[in-house]
């Protein structure tokens, strides 16, 4: 008799298959579940900085490095070239205007001066000789004029006398005619002598003027040559301190070569390096300040150098009001330059978060303060302490401002 065999519905193979399918489904579901939510990171509050977003007075200020410099620096250049013969003072000496610093020797220039002096002396001697000759010539012509005038006077007397005698028939025609001719000759001779004397006087005056002009020109040239020789002694142009002196005895210096500089000690200025990003926003008259010791001092931009070098340009700032007593040339200062007036703005304290976010987002704390989630923001201007917030945050919000370097792509921080 046949036996009925019961069919097994849950054999081991089927159970294993179902279990495998279920595992895969659970794995997929878990992956979907965990990836569909926000990535979180547990953070110890003692290791982060939490700051309050506030509203208050804001002024855009940029921190800059400045160097204290004399208010005026005058460069010493060799007006004439030569060999350094003497050095009268040392580098760093305090000088008075006109005080000699060093002496250059230039044989060619000194020889040219001697030749020029000789030429001027020769011209002066020639002028004196010419003047003496002209004076003798004038005296001779004046004597001649006196003789002519005397002859004219005598001829005129005889002519008038003979004219009367001839009218009275006391003398003949020939004698009268001779006296008349003598008189007319004397008149013509005086006229000619007077013309010659006037021409001679004009020529002498022209010659004298030309000689004087030539002598004045040569004398001016001599004075210029003397000045050039005098410039071989380099003197301090103003009161001040001699710095960067570059001159050793026996050293040759070319014309126009730099010898050193004079720093005027009547005041100081601060030369500041500024990033070229601000070149259109920095101008004369803008103010800044720095702190030295326990006091704050004000500065004002006096001059902007628009030439950019290595991504930076320079400005000169002068003191407004008090000047620190102990300030020294070459001293470094941390200057805060104001680029705007004070305004009311939403502010967030500066912190390391900016390096990772670029100011585009920040972790903002929830109302209960147990978590911080990522929010988009917009930052505008800045100063050494704050960023100006234009959107994304409001006064009273609390944010994480410390570095986000270890947070990766986390969307939410769980604060513990």
């Amino acid at each position: 008799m046949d036996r009925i065999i019961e069919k097994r519905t849950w054999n081991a193979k089927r159970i294993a298959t179902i279990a495998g399918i279920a595992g895969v489904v659970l794995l997929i579901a878990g992956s979907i579940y965990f990836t569909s939510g926000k990535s979180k990171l547990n953070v110890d509050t003692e290791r982060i900085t939490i700051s309050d977003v506030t509203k208050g007075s804001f002024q855009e200020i940029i921190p800059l490095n400045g160097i204290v410099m004399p208010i005026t620096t005058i460069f010493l250049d060799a007006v004439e070239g030569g060999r350094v013969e003497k050095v009268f003072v040392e580098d760093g000496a305090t000088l008075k205007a006109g005080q000699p610093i060093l002496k250059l020797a230039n044989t060619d220039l000194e020889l040219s001066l001697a030749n020029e002096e000789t030429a001027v002396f020769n011209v002066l001697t020639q002028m004196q000789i010419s003047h003496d000759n002209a004076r003798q010539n004038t005296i001779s012509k004046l004597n001649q004029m006196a003789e002519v005038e005397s002859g004219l006077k005598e001829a005129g007397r005889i002519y008038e006398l003979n004219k009367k005698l001839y009218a009275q028939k006391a003398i003949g025609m020939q004698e009268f005619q001779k006296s008349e001719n003598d008189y007319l000759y004397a008149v013509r001779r005086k006229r000619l002598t007077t013309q010659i004397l006037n021409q001679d006087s004009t020529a002498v005056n022209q010659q004298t003027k030309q000689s004087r002009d030539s002598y004045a020109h040569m004398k001016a040239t001599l004075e210029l040559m003397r000045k050039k020789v005098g410039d071989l002694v380099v003197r301090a142009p103003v009161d001040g301190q001699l710095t960067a002196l570059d001159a050793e005895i026996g050293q040759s210096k070319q014309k126009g070569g730099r010898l050193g500089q004079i720093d005027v000690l009547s005041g100081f200025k601060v030369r500041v390096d500024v990033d070229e990003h601000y070149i259109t926003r920095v101008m004369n008259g803008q103010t800044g300040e720095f702190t030295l010791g326990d006091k704050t001092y004000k500065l004002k931009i006096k001059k902007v150098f628009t030439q950019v070098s290595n991504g930076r340009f320079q400005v000169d700032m002068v003191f407004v009001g008090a000047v620190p007593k102990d300030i020294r040339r070459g001293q470094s200062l941390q200057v805060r330059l104001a680029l705007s007036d004070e305004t009311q703005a939403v502010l967030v304290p500066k912190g390391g978060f900016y390096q990772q976010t670029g100011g585009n987002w920040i972790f903002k704390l929830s109302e209960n303060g147990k978590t911080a989630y990522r929010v988009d923001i917009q930052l505008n201007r800045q100063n050494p302490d704050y960023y100006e917030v234009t959107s994304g945050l409001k006064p009273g919000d609390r944010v994480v401002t410390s570095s986000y370097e270890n947070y990766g792509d986390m969307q939410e921080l769980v604060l513990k």
Side-chain angles (χ1 to χ4, degrees):
M1 173 171 120
D2 293 334
R3 183 169 54 91
I4 298 174
I5 300 175
E6 295 182 0
K7 187 178 181 180
R8 295 181 180 179
T9 58
W10 293 97
N11 54 30
K13 183 177 181 180
R14 178 173 293 185
I15 293 174
T17 302
I18 294 174
I21 294 173
V24 172
V25 172
L26 290 174
L27 180 61
I28 295 174
S31 176
I32 295 174
Y33 173 79
F34 286 108
T35 57
S36 62
K38 294 181 179 179
S39 56
K40 300 180 181 181
L41 179 67
N42 293 330
V43 177
D44 188 348
T45 55
E46 294 182 356
R47 297 180 178 272
I48 63 174
T49 301
I50 299 175
S51 304
D52 293 328
V53 178
T54 59
K55 184 174 183 178
S57 297
F58 176 82
Q59 186 176 30
E60 186 178 9
I61 296 175
I62 55 174
L64 304 170
N65 294 322
I67 300 293
V68 178
M69 302 180 65
I71 190 67
T72 302
T73 297
I74 299 177
F75 294 104
L76 298 175
D77 294 337
V79 179
E80 297 295 333
R83 177 178 53 83
V84 179
E85 188 176 74
K86 292 182 181 179
V87 178
F88 301 105
V89 293
E90 295 181 354
D91 190 26
T94 300
L95 305 177
K96 294 292 184 181
Q99 184 174 344
I101 298 173
L102 58 88
K103 183 179 184 301
L104 300 173
N106 188 322
T107 305
D108 292 340
L109 197 61
E110 293 169 352
L111 181 60
S112 297
L113 173 62
N115 292 335
E116 194 68 30
E117 288 176 336
T118 301
V120 171
F121 177 76
N122 291 337
V123 169
L124 181 61
T125 301
Q126 188 64 39
M127 282 180 58
Q128 292 175 345
I129 294 173
S130 298
H131 179 71
D132 292 340
N133 292 337
R135 184 173 60 181
Q136 292 296 329
N137 188 41
T138 300
I139 291 173
S140 176
K141 285 182 171 54
L142 289 174
N143 288 332
Q144 185 179 0
M145 185 67 177
E147 292 178 0
V148 169
E149 288 177 344
S150 177
L152 175 61
K153 186 176 180 181
E154 180 64 18
R157 184 185 69 79
I158 294 175
Y159 170 68
E160 292 296 333
L161 177 62
N162 287 345
K163 187 177 181 180
K164 292 179 181 179
L165 293 176
Y166 178 73
Q168 297 172 2
K169 305 295 184 179
I171 60 174
M173 169 66 77
Q174 184 176 1
E175 186 175 357
F176 170 71
Q177 191 68 43
K178 182 178 182 305
S179 63
E180 184 180 24
N181 291 339
D182 290 342
Y183 172 70
L184 294 176
Y185 169 73
V187 170
R188 290 195 300 272
R189 187 180 179 190
K190 181 184 178 183
R191 186 182 302 115
L192 179 61
T193 303
T194 301
Q195 183 179 358
I196 292 173
L197 185 62
N198 290 337
Q199 290 177 349
D200 180 72
S201 177
T202 301
V204 169
N205 289 336
Q206 290 179 347
Q207 183 179 5
T208 301
K209 183 178 182 303
Q210 291 176 353
S211 298
R212 288 177 178 175
D213 292 343
S214 177
Y215 176 71
H217 176 71
M218 294 192 69
K219 192 173 181 180
T221 303
L222 176 61
E223 291 301 320
L224 179 61
M225 186 64 67
R226 285 174 176 169
K227 183 179 182 303
K228 294 178 71 174
V229 173
D231 288 336
L232 292 175
V233 178
V234 180
R235 302 177 182 274
V238 294
D239 295 349
Q241 184 179 29
L242 175 65
T243 59
L245 179 63
D246 179 20
E248 299 292 339
I249 294 178
Q251 185 179 9
S252 294
K253 292 294 182 181
Q254 298 295 326
K255 183 176 181 179
R258 181 61 46 83
L259 301 175
Q261 64 187 48
I262 299 289
D263 294 335
V264 179
L265 302 179
S266 59
F268 295 95
K269 63 184 177 182
V270 179
R271 180 157 293 177
V272 178
D273 288 330
V274 187
D275 190 284
E276 64 178 335
H277 172 75
Y278 299 101
I279 195 168
T280 59
R281 303 187 59 195
V282 175
M283 59 195 70
N284 291 342
Q286 287 179 319
T287 59
E289 61 181 23
F290 69 94
T291 301
L292 188 62
D294 57 351
K295 294 184 178 180
T296 299
Y297 300 90
K298 291 187 176 181
L299 298 168
K300 180 175 66 175
I301 294 179
K302 181 181 180 181
K303 185 176 183 180
V304 178
F305 300 91
T306 55
Q307 182 178 1
V308 177
S309 177
N310 296 324
R312 309 187 74 81
F313 66 99
Q314 294 182 321
V315 299
D316 280 349
M317 305 186 74
V318 295
F319 289 89
V320 178
V323 179
K325 294 182 180 179
D326 298 330
I327 200 166
R328 292 291 182 268
R329 182 183 186 274
Q331 185 174 353
S332 297
L333 300 175
Q334 296 295 318
V335 179
R336 300 179 294 275
L337 177 64
L339 297 181
S340 67
D341 297 328
E342 286 192 3
T343 57
Q344 291 293 311
V346 177
L347 308 175
V348 60
K350 300 186 86 170
F353 75 95
Y354 191 88
Q355 279 67 38
Q356 281 74 42
T357 69
N360 296 315
W361 58 273
I362 198 170
F363 280 115
K364 173 183 172 182
L365 270 66
S366 60
E367 293 184 1
N368 58 18
K370 293 182 179 181
T371 59
Y373 54 94
R374 179 170 170 169
V375 295
D376 293 332
I377 62 172
Q378 287 186 354
L379 304 180
N380 187 15
R381 300 175 297 173
Q382 61 177 295
N383 61 30
D385 300 318
Y386 295 99
Y387 293 109
E388 179 188 26
V389 182
T390 56
S391 68
L393 297 174
K394 63 181 184 301
D397 289 342
R398 302 177 69 200
V399 293
V400 178
T401 55
S402 51
S403 176
Y404 296 175
E405 185 177 1
N406 299 321
Y407 297 170
D409 296 331
M410 295 297 164
Q411 301 292 314
E412 187 174 336
L413 304 179
V414 179
L415 306 181
K416 294 186 178 182

